[in-house]
Amino acid sequence: QVKLVESGGGLVQPGGSLRLSCTASGFTFSNYAMSWYRQAPGKERELVALITSAGGSTNYADSVQGRFTISGDNAKNTVYLQMNSLKPEDTAVYYCNTVVFGRRYWGQGTQVTVSS
């Protein structure tokens, strides 16, 4: 059974940093791409960052390029999202995501609020 559990969200001031974690279970982590999405109130869910299987390459939304870094630890079955220089517009619920055997799985989400 595929399970994704996010952690690390919270309240941070503009310009601050947070690191989100997503621990996966139920599948061979190193064989699958992992991604982070976010959804702000009243907006559609959007892709933030993606890392291919075994960490071969990464991609980022233009809005976070240069500020966010996605990485994975195969030994811990965990994918991270390091978020620096946070802005109020980064406020959203952040979700971990993967597709295993053609089925998309989501974590429960973790709230990130950037506010002074």
Side-chain angles (χ1 to χ4, degrees), residues 3 6 17-18 20 24 27 31 42 44-45 56 60 66-67 88 109:
K3 188 175 182 181
E6 301 103 332
S17 298
L18 281 175
L20 306 183
F27 64 102
N31 288 353
E44 293 186 356
R45 194 170 295 189
Y60 299 93
R67 300 187 297 122

Side-chain angles (χ1 to χ4, degrees), residues 66-105:
R67 300 187 297 122
F68 290 11
T69 302
I70 188 171
S71 62
D73 185 335
N74 290 335
K76 296 182 178 180
N77 285 0
T78 299
V79 61
Y80 303 98
L81 186 68
Q82 177 66 44
M83 306 185 295
N84 299 327
S85 301
L86 283 161
K87 304 175 181 180
E89 51 263 44
D90 295 317
T91 296
V93 178
Y94 284 71
Y95 298 91
C96 181
N97 171 269
T98 190
V99 177
V100 177
F101 295 123
R103 178 177 174 179
R104 186 174 296 275
Y105 294 89

